[in-house]
Amino acid sequence: MAGYNQGIPGGSVGRAVTLAMPELHPTPVEGCEICGEQAVLRTAAFKRGDHSAVSDANARIRNHQHHRNTR
Ligand SMILES: [Zn+2]
């Protein structure tokens, strides 16, 4: 019968459960001032519950890809 779906391997794949951060947060590159600064801002923003500032800092770190090109 259609809808009888046995093709799913393993059923539910465990999602990465983040206990603190609501979304994936990129790791700042050590030695990069911009990334480090955003990481500090992100931590401060998270502590005061400013989620928009957290995702803002995350986006800046994520978009800061100069280190991939230079190293
Ligand atoms: Zn950087």
Side-chain angles (χ1 to χ4, degrees):
M1 296 293 273
Y4 189 72
N5 194 349
Q6 287 185 315
I8 303 174
S12 63
V13 178
R15 270 194 190 185
V17 178
T18 51
L19 296 176
M21 295 286 187
E23 59 188 64
L24 263 177
H25 50 284
T27 306
V29 173
E30 201 171 340
C32 176
E33 285 185 26
I34 307 298
C35 290
E37 187 178 299
Q38 293 305 317
V40 172
L41 289 175
R42 180 180 62 188
T43 303
F46 178 75
K47 282 180 179 173
R48 66 174 187 266
D50 192 345
H51 290 285
S52 64
V54 169
S55 48
D56 198 43
N58 278 338
R60 283 181 187 154
I61 295 173
R62 195 179 296 120
N63 292 333
H64 209 229
Q65 296 182 334
H66 62 90
H67 36 76
R68 291 186 185 175
N69 297 328
T70 54
R71 301 213 175 186

